[in-house]
Amino acid sequence: QVQLVESGGGLVQAGVSLRLSCAASGSSFSINRMGWYRWFRQAPGKQRELVAAITRVGNIIYADSVKGRFTISRDNANNTMYLQMNSLKPEDTAVYYCNVGIGPQSYDYWGQGTQVTVSS
């Protein structure tokens, strides 16, 4: 089992930055099996969408809406991943969730979510 805990959300004005963190704990065996590390978000009335993903070997993908503004990264030593969000916009308002999975089609573990609200 793997537990994921997000932090770093909040209420901010447009244009500022936030950094979200997702700390993983639990079975070392399970944690080490994970190959995909993702951030999703869900805005009110909308479906959950992928924001960014990073693989164990360092391949990274971003949603078009956040390219150039958000950066995903991992700290392997501390089993933590981050989402640096710059130039925030009101449309970035959502609950942000971290997720890890063994493979590209695996979404094994989810965090509880952290609210990000961007005011104009």
Side-chain angles (χ1 to χ4, degrees), residues 17-111:
S17 300
L18 276 178
R19 189 176 78 158
L20 305 183
S21 300
C22 175
S25 62
S27 163
S28 296
F29 173 76
S30 295
I31 291 173
N32 291 335
R33 291 183 68 199
M34 299 299 116
W36 284 75
Y37 308 82
R38 309 174 180 94
W39 286 97
F40 285 82
R41 68 185 180 187
Q42 187 166 20
K46 294 187 177 182
Q47 289 189 331
R48 191 172 297 189
E49 63 173 352
L50 178 68
V51 175
I54 183 169
T55 68
R56 178 190 297 276
V57 297
N59 297 319
I60 294 175
I61 58 173
Y62 293 103
D64 288 342
S65 58
V66 306
K67 281 181 181 176
R69 300 188 298 122
F70 290 12
T71 303
I72 188 172
S73 61
R74 286 181 60 212
D75 179 346
N76 295 333
N78 293 310
N79 291 326
T80 303
M81 67 174 175
Y82 303 97
L83 186 68
Q84 178 67 41
M85 306 186 295
N86 298 330
S87 302
L88 282 163
K89 304 176 181 180
E91 50 263 45
D92 295 318
T93 295
V95 178
Y96 284 71
Y97 300 89
C98 60
N99 165 267
V100 297
I102 295 174
Q105 302 301 323
S106 304
Y107 304 88
D108 299 277
Y109 300 101
W110 292 87

